[in-house]
Amino acid sequence: MLLEVAGLKKSFGSIVVADDLDLVVAPGEAVGIIGPNGAGKTTLFNLIAGGLAPTAGYFRFDGRDFTGVPLQGRCRAGIGRTHQIPQPFEKLTVFENLLVGAVYGRRKTEAAVAQSCGEILERLGLLKRANTLAGSLTLLERKRLEMARALATAPKLLLLDEIAGGLTEGECSELVATIREIRQTGVAILWIEHVVHALLAVIDRLVVLNFGRKIADGVPKQVMQLPEVHQIYMGIEA
Amino acid sequence: MDDAAARSTQSFRIETAVGSPRATAVAVLIILLALMLLPTFAGRNLIQDLIFLFYMLALAQCWNLLAGYAGLISVGQQAFVGLGGYLLFALTLIAGLNPLLAILLAGLVSALIALPTALIVFRLRGAYFAIGTWVVAEVYRLVFAQVKPLGGGTGTSLTPSVTSSVPGIEWVKTLLDVRAPAARDIVSYWVALALLAGTLAAVYFILRSRRGLALGAIRDHEAAAAGLGVDIYRIKLAVYVATAAMTGMIGALIYLQKARISPDAAFSVLDWTAYVIFIVVIGGIGTMEGPVIGAIVFYLLQRYLADFGASYLILLGTLGIVIMLFAPRGLWGLVADRYDLTLFPTRRRLIIRDREDG
């Protein structure tokens, strides 16, 4: 298994945001995560790729215990992530944003990563904006930059946090096509998303979280049929 | 992602922008040479003013790297100015070393002392870090006030034998036909120019290196930089120690020029940190050009308005607040927004070329 999460617990005071979570992702697999607001989805990402320390439990990545590994070590080992609210380096150019990820995430020289950064920008449709300041990008472009920057670190596992939110139908299907392309290069994907139809177009397996607990995990179509999932999603998603 | 290479019809390479490197190098050399030759015809007042401008600008560049890029808002850099100054006095008066050698050693010792200091203050964040650095500077001040051979709380002066032992003074005296005090100023001016040029070059090459890429990222979004593999702690530590070394050398020079030191003056938060912050903020924090503009503005204000005493300080404060409110990126920000100018190019550009066989 590429990623193994076991018995992961996190509470802020009396509020439990991750309760005994188990989750595995195989190399190259695409797993979707859905759940109502406050279900602990982003917290799970922060436990895996952010600086958040779990209250109990552990997670392994690529066969190594990763629970105490600092942020930069997680990235270098191959965990890339995007943020729900894009966090560009605004006074750097789009290309320089990617360079940071490529140079530090992959521990290479700037000259050695220029070609692959250019290719990632081309794939994500940002090539024309390569030498403009990231601060001047539109929201859609910022979301693309988040993904491009994560890809620049050459991840084995890519964590996508609500990347389709706020996009038009056309933009969304473009995004789905891009993510499918990324999958074909062998990158495993763990994707949190409210736009369920976009998710279902890409993933192999679907996990449902509610109040920090995993309530379903399996083949997407079957999971969506489960009565408890229906109940949660009544009024949120058709 | 390797299969993408076959698919792409374009090749990409990186260029760290300098329009024409040769012309730039020639321009830099001409400016340096002109500044070096300035004492041959400039008056002593101008030389003294320029020494002040040079060391304030060098201090501002250090603080800008520290606060503007690495996010280390220190209000305790006077710790290293004072440390450098006192080291110069100790190394020349007590150990009998040559003042120029003492300046270099002051930088080295400042770096060595910055290391354990960092281990303490780096445990603090944000405002606590700022206050922590200030407390450290006060501790340094109190420690040096206890050192009796260096005059304790009242301070001490350099002996004439020390101030006139700087290499080059005799040479300047005979060559330019000036008296000893003027010759001392001219040599100090050259040392200040060398330190300023060295500081600018060091900061510039740090920013152009891969460390500079990380520093730009930390400046804009620290958490995101860490998530992309940047070792924040290590880079901050390196910047803290390097700026301490530079600040220590500048402090040594300042007190070689002043020839008199006391704990209150050497560790003055107003002179060595508040003014420096003012320079960086009005010029434009997080750019190399900002402190240059800020130092010139500060110099002019000081030159023409300092006689007004308290009103001058009130004016400085007001100006600082107005600029922070209405031009948060400083005076340089106003210019750069309009004309896309840069004096110290560090941008990395992606150069796209269609492949011949594509």
Side-chain angles (χ1 to χ4, degrees), chain B residues 6-52:
Chain B
R7 207 195 50 167
S8 181
T9 57
Q10 288 163 317
S11 78
F12 305 99
R13 70 193 166 77
I14 185 169
E15 190 178 272
T16 308
V18 177
S20 58
R22 193 163 299 165
T24 313
V26 169
V28 168
L29 276 180
I30 289 175
I31 293 171
L32 262 181
L33 205 67
L35 287 173
M36 269 169 68
L37 295 177
L38 194 69
T40 55
F41 52 85
R44 198 175 160 198
N45 279 339
L46 180 64
I47 293 301
Q48 285 177 338
D49 283 0
L50 284 177
I51 295 174
F52 172 75

mmCIF file of all heavy atoms in Angstrom, chain B residues 6-52:
data_model
loop_
_atom_site.group_PDB
_atom_site.id
_atom_site.type_symbol
_atom_site.label_atom_id
_atom_site.label_comp_id
_atom_site.label_asym_id
_atom_site.label_seq_id
_atom_site.Cartn_x
_atom_site.Cartn_y
_atom_site.Cartn_z
ATOM 1 N N ALA B 6 7.952 13.229 -24.213
ATOM 2 C CA ALA B 6 7.796 12.796 -25.587
ATOM 3 C C ALA B 6 6.644 13.552 -26.264
ATOM 4 O O ALA B 6 6.688 13.840 -27.453
ATOM 5 C CB ALA B 6 7.531 11.300 -25.632
ATOM 6 N N ARG B 7 5.643 13.903 -25.476
ATOM 7 C CA ARG B 7 4.438 14.489 -26.028
ATOM 8 C C ARG B 7 4.621 15.966 -26.363
ATOM 9 O O ARG B 7 4.086 16.473 -27.335
ATOM 10 C CB ARG B 7 3.317 14.339 -25.004
ATOM 11 C CG ARG B 7 1.950 14.296 -25.597
ATOM 12 C CD ARG B 7 0.971 14.517 -24.498
ATOM 13 N NE ARG B 7 1.352 15.690 -23.720
ATOM 14 C CZ ARG B 7 0.562 16.265 -22.864
ATOM 15 N NH1 ARG B 7 -0.635 15.759 -22.628
ATOM 16 N NH2 ARG B 7 0.935 17.316 -22.197
ATOM 17 N N SER B 8 5.363 16.662 -25.496
ATOM 18 C CA SER B 8 5.476 18.099 -25.652
ATOM 19 C C SER B 8 6.268 18.445 -26.900
ATOM 20 O O SER B 8 7.279 17.826 -27.200
ATOM 21 C CB SER B 8 6.152 18.714 -24.434
ATOM 22 O OG SER B 8 6.214 20.102 -24.604
ATOM 23 N N THR B 9 5.788 19.459 -27.614
ATOM 24 C CA THR B 9 6.496 19.866 -28.828
ATOM 25 C C THR B 9 7.383 21.063 -28.537
ATOM 26 O O THR B 9 7.960 21.642 -29.431
ATOM 27 C CB THR B 9 5.494 20.268 -29.914
ATOM 28 O OG1 THR B 9 4.675 21.323 -29.392
ATOM 29 C CG2 THR B 9 4.630 19.095 -30.316
ATOM 30 N N GLN B 10 7.465 21.430 -27.265
ATOM 31 C CA GLN B 10 8.225 22.619 -26.942
ATOM 32 C C GLN B 10 9.335 22.293 -25.968
ATOM 33 O O GLN B 10 9.207 21.365 -25.183
ATOM 34 C CB GLN B 10 7.299 23.681 -26.348
ATOM 35 C CG GLN B 10 6.401 24.265 -27.407
ATOM 36 C CD GLN B 10 5.230 25.002 -26.814
ATOM 37 O OE1 GLN B 10 4.618 24.534 -25.864
ATOM 38 N NE2 GLN B 10 4.915 26.144 -27.379
ATOM 39 N N SER B 11 10.406 23.064 -26.049
ATOM 40 C CA SER B 11 11.437 22.875 -25.046
ATOM 41 C C SER B 11 11.495 24.129 -24.177
ATOM 42 O O SER B 11 11.204 25.228 -24.629
ATOM 43 C CB SER B 11 12.784 22.597 -25.704
ATOM 44 O OG SER B 11 13.327 23.790 -26.176
ATOM 45 N N PHE B 12 11.823 23.895 -22.925
ATOM 46 C CA PHE B 12 11.780 24.984 -21.962
ATOM 47 C C PHE B 12 13.124 25.118 -21.289
ATOM 48 O O PHE B 12 13.782 24.120 -21.023
ATOM 49 C CB PHE B 12 10.723 24.682 -20.894
ATOM 50 C CG PHE B 12 9.367 24.411 -21.459
ATOM 51 C CD1 PHE B 12 8.922 23.111 -21.623
ATOM 52 C CD2 PHE B 12 8.543 25.459 -21.837
ATOM 53 C CE1 PHE B 12 7.661 22.862 -22.151
ATOM 54 C CE2 PHE B 12 7.298 25.215 -22.363
ATOM 55 C CZ PHE B 12 6.845 23.916 -22.527
ATOM 56 N N ARG B 13 13.510 26.345 -21.039
ATOM 57 C CA ARG B 13 14.677 26.526 -20.199
ATOM 58 C C ARG B 13 14.480 27.760 -19.333
ATOM 59 O O ARG B 13 13.545 28.541 -19.549
ATOM 60 C CB ARG B 13 15.963 26.591 -21.013
ATOM 61 C CG ARG B 13 16.088 27.825 -21.821
ATOM 62 C CD ARG B 13 17.196 27.716 -22.838
ATOM 63 N NE ARG B 13 17.026 28.813 -23.770
ATOM 64 C CZ ARG B 13 17.365 30.063 -23.488
ATOM 65 N NH1 ARG B 13 17.925 30.359 -22.335
ATOM 66 N NH2 ARG B 13 17.146 31.036 -24.351
ATOM 67 N N ILE B 14 15.362 27.896 -18.376
ATOM 68 C CA ILE B 14 15.210 28.957 -17.389
ATOM 69 C C ILE B 14 16.239 30.038 -17.664
ATOM 70 O O ILE B 14 17.329 29.765 -18.139
ATOM 71 C CB ILE B 14 15.395 28.386 -15.975
ATOM 72 C CG1 ILE B 14 15.109 29.446 -14.931
ATOM 73 C CG2 ILE B 14 16.765 27.814 -15.780
ATOM 74 C CD1 ILE B 14 15.025 28.865 -13.544
ATOM 75 N N GLU B 15 15.828 31.278 -17.409
ATOM 76 C CA GLU B 15 16.769 32.389 -17.550
ATOM 77 C C GLU B 15 16.560 33.308 -16.360
ATOM 78 O O GLU B 15 15.445 33.766 -16.133
ATOM 79 C CB GLU B 15 16.477 33.121 -18.850
ATOM 80 C CG GLU B 15 17.519 34.136 -19.224
ATOM 81 C CD GLU B 15 17.171 34.785 -20.558
ATOM 82 O OE1 GLU B 15 17.568 34.238 -21.598
ATOM 83 O OE2 GLU B 15 16.468 35.802 -20.555
ATOM 84 N N THR B 16 17.603 33.519 -15.580
ATOM 85 C CA THR B 16 17.482 34.450 -14.463
ATOM 86 C C THR B 16 17.881 35.813 -14.986
ATOM 87 O O THR B 16 19.010 36.030 -15.392
ATOM 88 C CB THR B 16 18.348 34.008 -13.276
ATOM 89 O OG1 THR B 16 18.025 32.644 -12.996
ATOM 90 C CG2 THR B 16 18.056 34.835 -12.051
ATOM 91 N N ALA B 17 16.870 36.701 -14.994
ATOM 92 C CA ALA B 17 16.934 37.848 -15.886
ATOM 93 C C ALA B 17 17.968 38.891 -15.535
ATOM 94 O O ALA B 17 17.947 39.466 -14.460
ATOM 95 C CB ALA B 17 15.560 38.503 -15.923
ATOM 96 N N VAL B 18 18.883 39.122 -16.445
ATOM 97 C CA VAL B 18 19.644 40.365 -16.507
ATOM 98 C C VAL B 18 19.630 40.696 -17.987
ATOM 99 O O VAL B 18 20.082 39.895 -18.796
ATOM 100 C CB VAL B 18 21.104 40.191 -16.049
ATOM 101 C CG1 VAL B 18 21.850 41.498 -16.205
ATOM 102 C CG2 VAL B 18 21.150 39.740 -14.614
ATOM 103 N N GLY B 19 19.086 41.847 -18.351
ATOM 104 C CA GLY B 19 18.929 42.213 -19.759
ATOM 105 C C GLY B 19 20.196 41.945 -20.543
ATOM 106 O O GLY B 19 20.232 41.075 -21.412
ATOM 107 N N SER B 20 21.254 42.683 -20.238
ATOM 108 C CA SER B 20 22.540 42.404 -20.871
ATOM 109 C C SER B 20 23.590 42.384 -19.767
ATOM 110 O O SER B 20 23.939 43.418 -19.209
ATOM 111 C CB SER B 20 22.875 43.458 -21.923
ATOM 112 O OG SER B 20 22.894 44.734 -21.328
ATOM 113 N N PRO B 21 24.068 41.207 -19.436
ATOM 114 C CA PRO B 21 24.959 41.039 -18.279
ATOM 115 C C PRO B 21 26.199 41.917 -18.377
ATOM 116 O O PRO B 21 26.636 42.498 -17.383
ATOM 117 C CB PRO B 21 25.351 39.565 -18.340
ATOM 118 C CG PRO B 21 24.352 38.923 -19.244
ATOM 119 C CD PRO B 21 23.834 39.972 -20.166
ATOM 120 N N ARG B 22 26.775 42.041 -19.589
ATOM 121 C CA ARG B 22 28.024 42.788 -19.710
ATOM 122 C C ARG B 22 27.794 44.264 -19.404
ATOM 123 O O ARG B 22 28.538 44.865 -18.636
ATOM 124 C CB ARG B 22 28.612 42.605 -21.108
ATOM 125 C CG ARG B 22 30.038 43.077 -21.203
ATOM 126 C CD ARG B 22 30.732 42.542 -22.429
ATOM 127 N NE ARG B 22 30.794 41.084 -22.460
ATOM 128 C CZ ARG B 22 31.094 40.372 -23.559
ATOM 129 N NH1 ARG B 22 31.311 40.988 -24.693
ATOM 130 N NH2 ARG B 22 31.161 39.058 -23.513
ATOM 131 N N ALA B 23 26.741 44.847 -20.006
ATOM 132 C CA ALA B 23 26.445 46.269 -19.783
ATOM 133 C C ALA B 23 26.199 46.525 -18.300
ATOM 134 O O ALA B 23 26.663 47.526 -17.742
ATOM 135 C CB ALA B 23 25.238 46.682 -20.603
ATOM 136 N N THR B 24 25.474 45.594 -17.644
ATOM 137 C CA THR B 24 25.189 45.753 -16.224
ATOM 138 C C THR B 24 26.477 45.751 -15.418
ATOM 139 O O THR B 24 26.685 46.599 -14.553
ATOM 140 C CB THR B 24 24.275 44.615 -15.740
ATOM 141 O OG1 THR B 24 23.217 44.484 -16.675
ATOM 142 C CG2 THR B 24 23.714 44.908 -14.372
ATOM 143 N N ALA B 25 27.368 44.799 -15.731
ATOM 144 C CA ALA B 25 28.623 44.693 -14.996
ATOM 145 C C ALA B 25 29.442 45.965 -15.165
ATOM 146 O O ALA B 25 30.014 46.482 -14.196
ATOM 147 C CB ALA B 25 29.420 43.482 -15.484
ATOM 148 N N VAL B 26 29.467 46.491 -16.383
ATOM 149 C CA VAL B 26 30.217 47.722 -16.643
ATOM 150 C C VAL B 26 29.622 48.881 -15.841
ATOM 151 O O VAL B 26 30.346 49.641 -15.190
ATOM 152 C CB VAL B 26 30.223 48.054 -18.156
ATOM 153 C CG1 VAL B 26 30.764 49.463 -18.394
ATOM 154 C CG2 VAL B 26 31.057 47.029 -18.916
ATOM 155 N N ALA B 27 28.284 48.978 -15.838
ATOM 156 C CA ALA B 27 27.623 50.059 -15.100
ATOM 157 C C ALA B 27 27.947 49.970 -13.615
ATOM 158 O O ALA B 27 28.281 50.972 -12.977
ATOM 159 C CB ALA B 27 26.119 49.994 -15.327
ATOM 160 N N VAL B 28 27.881 48.751 -13.055
ATOM 161 C CA VAL B 28 28.173 48.568 -11.632
ATOM 162 C C VAL B 28 29.607 48.988 -11.327
ATOM 163 O O VAL B 28 29.875 49.687 -10.348
ATOM 164 C CB VAL B 28 27.932 47.096 -11.216
ATOM 165 C CG1 VAL B 28 28.496 46.825 -9.836
ATOM 166 C CG2 VAL B 28 26.448 46.773 -11.267
ATOM 167 N N LEU B 29 30.544 48.586 -12.211
ATOM 168 C CA LEU B 29 31.957 48.936 -12.000
ATOM 169 C C LEU B 29 32.163 50.440 -12.039
ATOM 170 O O LEU B 29 32.903 50.997 -11.227
ATOM 171 C CB LEU B 29 32.824 48.257 -13.069
ATOM 172 C CG LEU B 29 33.215 46.817 -12.751
ATOM 173 C CD1 LEU B 29 34.071 46.225 -13.862
ATOM 174 C CD2 LEU B 29 33.992 46.779 -11.426
ATOM 175 N N ILE B 30 31.489 51.115 -12.999
ATOM 176 C CA ILE B 30 31.654 52.571 -13.122
ATOM 177 C C ILE B 30 31.138 53.265 -11.861
ATOM 178 O O ILE B 30 31.806 54.146 -11.311
ATOM 179 C CB ILE B 30 30.921 53.091 -14.381
ATOM 180 C CG1 ILE B 30 31.678 52.640 -15.630
ATOM 181 C CG2 ILE B 30 30.793 54.617 -14.343
ATOM 182 C CD1 ILE B 30 31.000 52.980 -16.929
ATOM 183 N N ILE B 31 29.962 52.824 -11.372
ATOM 184 C CA ILE B 31 29.408 53.435 -10.159
ATOM 185 C C ILE B 31 30.364 53.226 -8.980
ATOM 186 O O ILE B 31 30.676 54.152 -8.229
ATOM 187 C CB ILE B 31 28.016 52.850 -9.846
ATOM 188 C CG1 ILE B 31 27.025 53.280 -10.931
ATOM 189 C CG2 ILE B 31 27.527 53.311 -8.469
ATOM 190 C CD1 ILE B 31 25.683 52.603 -10.842
ATOM 191 N N LEU B 32 30.846 51.986 -8.843
ATOM 192 C CA LEU B 32 31.766 51.678 -7.740
ATOM 193 C C LEU B 32 33.028 52.542 -7.814
ATOM 194 O O LEU B 32 33.476 53.112 -6.813
ATOM 195 C CB LEU B 32 32.165 50.200 -7.793
ATOM 196 C CG LEU B 32 31.402 49.257 -6.885
ATOM 197 C CD1 LEU B 32 31.927 47.841 -7.021
ATOM 198 C CD2 LEU B 32 31.533 49.717 -5.427
ATOM 199 N N LEU B 33 33.578 52.641 -9.018
ATOM 200 C CA LEU B 33 34.803 53.397 -9.220
ATOM 201 C C LEU B 33 34.567 54.875 -8.889
ATOM 202 O O LEU B 33 35.375 55.507 -8.206
ATOM 203 C CB LEU B 33 35.267 53.242 -10.678
ATOM 204 C CG LEU B 33 36.764 53.440 -10.911
ATOM 205 C CD1 LEU B 33 37.554 52.328 -10.246
ATOM 206 C CD2 LEU B 33 37.061 53.482 -12.405
ATOM 207 N N ALA B 34 33.421 55.402 -9.365
ATOM 208 C CA ALA B 34 33.104 56.809 -9.105
ATOM 209 C C ALA B 34 33.010 57.055 -7.603
ATOM 210 O O ALA B 34 33.555 58.028 -7.085
ATOM 211 C CB ALA B 34 31.797 57.178 -9.792
ATOM 212 N N LEU B 35 32.332 56.131 -6.885
ATOM 213 C CA LEU B 35 32.200 56.291 -5.436
ATOM 214 C C LEU B 35 33.554 56.176 -4.751
ATOM 215 O O LEU B 35 33.825 56.859 -3.768
ATOM 216 C CB LEU B 35 31.222 55.253 -4.882
ATOM 217 C CG LEU B 35 29.742 55.512 -5.197
ATOM 218 C CD1 LEU B 35 28.881 54.341 -4.760
ATOM 219 C CD2 LEU B 35 29.270 56.794 -4.512
ATOM 220 N N MET B 36 34.424 55.288 -5.291
ATOM 221 C CA MET B 36 35.749 55.126 -4.687
ATOM 222 C C MET B 36 36.589 56.379 -4.847
ATOM 223 O O MET B 36 37.350 56.759 -3.967
ATOM 224 C CB MET B 36 36.467 53.938 -5.337
ATOM 225 C CG MET B 36 36.232 52.624 -4.629
ATOM 226 S SD MET B 36 36.828 51.250 -5.610
ATOM 227 C CE MET B 36 38.586 51.518 -5.557
ATOM 228 N N LEU B 37 36.446 57.038 -6.003
ATOM 229 C CA LEU B 37 37.277 58.215 -6.293
ATOM 230 C C LEU B 37 36.687 59.497 -5.720
ATOM 231 O O LEU B 37 37.342 60.529 -5.720
ATOM 232 C CB LEU B 37 37.465 58.353 -7.807
ATOM 233 C CG LEU B 37 38.253 57.221 -8.448
ATOM 234 C CD1 LEU B 37 38.344 57.392 -9.953
ATOM 235 C CD2 LEU B 37 39.660 57.130 -7.842
ATOM 236 N N LEU B 38 35.445 59.410 -5.217
ATOM 237 C CA LEU B 38 34.753 60.599 -4.717
ATOM 238 C C LEU B 38 35.575 61.425 -3.718
ATOM 239 O O LEU B 38 35.618 62.655 -3.827
ATOM 240 C CB LEU B 38 33.414 60.183 -4.103
ATOM 241 C CG LEU B 38 32.419 61.306 -3.836
ATOM 242 C CD1 LEU B 38 31.901 61.884 -5.140
ATOM 243 C CD2 LEU B 38 31.250 60.796 -2.994
ATOM 244 N N PRO B 39 36.275 60.782 -2.745
ATOM 245 C CA PRO B 39 36.992 61.568 -1.730
ATOM 246 C C PRO B 39 38.065 62.475 -2.312
ATOM 247 O O PRO B 39 38.494 63.418 -1.651
ATOM 248 C CB PRO B 39 37.631 60.493 -0.836
ATOM 249 C CG PRO B 39 36.790 59.290 -1.037
ATOM 250 C CD PRO B 39 36.339 59.347 -2.459
ATOM 251 N N THR B 40 38.503 62.220 -3.550
ATOM 252 C CA THR B 40 39.562 63.063 -4.107
ATOM 253 C C THR B 40 39.076 64.487 -4.324
ATOM 254 O O THR B 40 39.866 65.412 -4.321
ATOM 255 C CB THR B 40 40.089 62.504 -5.444
ATOM 256 O OG1 THR B 40 38.974 62.336 -6.321
ATOM 257 C CG2 THR B 40 40.792 61.191 -5.248
ATOM 258 N N PHE B 41 37.777 64.681 -4.513
ATOM 259 C CA PHE B 41 37.304 66.060 -4.695
ATOM 260 C C PHE B 41 36.159 66.449 -3.761
ATOM 261 O O PHE B 41 35.849 67.626 -3.643
ATOM 262 C CB PHE B 41 36.907 66.312 -6.165
ATOM 263 C CG PHE B 41 35.950 65.300 -6.728
ATOM 264 C CD1 PHE B 41 34.585 65.455 -6.543
ATOM 265 C CD2 PHE B 41 36.426 64.202 -7.442
ATOM 266 C CE1 PHE B 41 33.727 64.529 -7.070
ATOM 267 C CE2 PHE B 41 35.550 63.269 -7.965
ATOM 268 C CZ PHE B 41 34.198 63.435 -7.786
ATOM 269 N N ALA B 42 35.532 65.471 -3.070
ATOM 270 C CA ALA B 42 34.399 65.825 -2.220
ATOM 271 C C ALA B 42 34.879 66.372 -0.878
ATOM 272 O O ALA B 42 35.967 66.026 -0.406
ATOM 273 C CB ALA B 42 33.517 64.604 -1.988
ATOM 274 N N GLY B 43 34.056 67.218 -0.263
ATOM 275 C CA GLY B 43 34.395 67.779 1.038
ATOM 276 C C GLY B 43 34.212 66.766 2.155
ATOM 277 O O GLY B 43 33.604 65.714 1.969
ATOM 278 N N ARG B 44 34.755 67.103 3.330
ATOM 279 C CA ARG B 44 34.731 66.167 4.443
ATOM 280 C C ARG B 44 33.305 65.925 4.943
ATOM 281 O O ARG B 44 32.952 64.809 5.334
ATOM 282 C CB ARG B 44 35.597 66.711 5.578
ATOM 283 C CG ARG B 44 35.951 65.617 6.558
ATOM 284 C CD ARG B 44 36.902 66.119 7.602
ATOM 285 N NE ARG B 44 36.835 65.223 8.741
ATOM 286 C CZ ARG B 44 37.253 65.531 9.949
ATOM 287 N NH1 ARG B 44 37.772 66.718 10.180
ATOM 288 N NH2 ARG B 44 37.151 64.662 10.924
ATOM 289 N N ASN B 45 32.453 66.966 4.897
ATOM 290 C CA ASN B 45 31.070 66.801 5.341
ATOM 291 C C ASN B 45 30.329 65.754 4.508
ATOM 292 O O ASN B 45 29.633 64.898 5.040
ATOM 293 C CB ASN B 45 30.308 68.131 5.246
ATOM 294 C CG ASN B 45 30.602 69.001 6.441
ATOM 295 O OD1 ASN B 45 31.039 68.498 7.485
ATOM 296 N ND2 ASN B 45 30.382 70.297 6.293
ATOM 297 N N LEU B 46 30.493 65.858 3.202
ATOM 298 C CA LEU B 46 29.816 64.907 2.319
ATOM 299 C C LEU B 46 30.298 63.486 2.597
ATOM 300 O O LEU B 46 29.509 62.547 2.659
ATOM 301 C CB LEU B 46 30.064 65.285 0.856
ATOM 302 C CG LEU B 46 29.390 64.347 -0.153
ATOM 303 C CD1 LEU B 46 27.875 64.412 -0.017
ATOM 304 C CD2 LEU B 46 29.814 64.673 -1.577
ATOM 305 N N ILE B 47 31.615 63.342 2.789
ATOM 306 C CA ILE B 47 32.175 62.016 3.058
ATOM 307 C C ILE B 47 31.571 61.440 4.341
ATOM 308 O O ILE B 47 31.133 60.289 4.377
ATOM 309 C CB ILE B 47 33.716 62.101 3.167
ATOM 310 C CG1 ILE B 47 34.325 62.467 1.810
ATOM 311 C CG2 ILE B 47 34.290 60.788 3.662
ATOM 312 C CD1 ILE B 47 34.001 61.503 0.696
ATOM 313 N N GLN B 48 31.476 62.276 5.382
ATOM 314 C CA GLN B 48 30.889 61.797 6.641
ATOM 315 C C GLN B 48 29.423 61.431 6.462
ATOM 316 O O GLN B 48 28.949 60.421 6.978
ATOM 317 C CB GLN B 48 31.040 62.865 7.723
ATOM 318 C CG GLN B 48 32.466 62.943 8.247
ATOM 319 C CD GLN B 48 32.635 64.048 9.273
ATOM 320 O OE1 GLN B 48 31.853 64.998 9.324
ATOM 321 N NE2 GLN B 48 33.660 63.921 10.095
ATOM 322 N N ASP B 49 28.685 62.266 5.699
ATOM 323 C CA ASP B 49 27.271 61.957 5.433
ATOM 324 C C ASP B 49 27.133 60.637 4.687
ATOM 325 O O ASP B 49 26.241 59.839 4.967
ATOM 326 C CB ASP B 49 26.641 63.084 4.606
ATOM 327 C CG ASP B 49 26.325 64.295 5.467
ATOM 328 O OD1 ASP B 49 26.599 64.228 6.683
ATOM 329 O OD2 ASP B 49 25.825 65.297 4.918
ATOM 330 N N LEU B 50 28.029 60.436 3.727
ATOM 331 C CA LEU B 50 27.925 59.207 2.936
ATOM 332 C C LEU B 50 28.260 57.981 3.765
ATOM 333 O O LEU B 50 27.667 56.920 3.570
ATOM 334 C CB LEU B 50 28.819 59.284 1.702
ATOM 335 C CG LEU B 50 28.258 60.169 0.573
ATOM 336 C CD1 LEU B 50 29.241 60.240 -0.579
ATOM 337 C CD2 LEU B 50 26.917 59.642 0.074
ATOM 338 N N ILE B 51 29.204 58.113 4.706
ATOM 339 C CA ILE B 51 29.499 56.982 5.591
ATOM 340 C C ILE B 51 28.213 56.584 6.324
ATOM 341 O O ILE B 51 27.831 55.420 6.362
ATOM 342 C CB ILE B 51 30.611 57.336 6.612
ATOM 343 C CG1 ILE B 51 31.924 57.603 5.885
ATOM 344 C CG2 ILE B 51 30.794 56.200 7.616
ATOM 345 C CD1 ILE B 51 33.031 58.092 6.812
ATOM 346 N N PHE B 52 27.538 57.612 6.859
ATOM 347 C CA PHE B 52 26.277 57.373 7.557
ATOM 348 C C PHE B 52 25.260 56.705 6.623
ATOM 349 O O PHE B 52 24.651 55.692 6.970
ATOM 350 C CB PHE B 52 25.732 58.710 8.080
ATOM 351 C CG PHE B 52 24.347 58.642 8.649
ATOM 352 C CD1 PHE B 52 24.121 58.073 9.896
ATOM 353 C CD2 PHE B 52 23.260 59.137 7.936
ATOM 354 C CE1 PHE B 52 22.838 58.011 10.418
ATOM 355 C CE2 PHE B 52 21.979 59.083 8.463
ATOM 356 C CZ PHE B 52 21.768 58.518 9.704
#
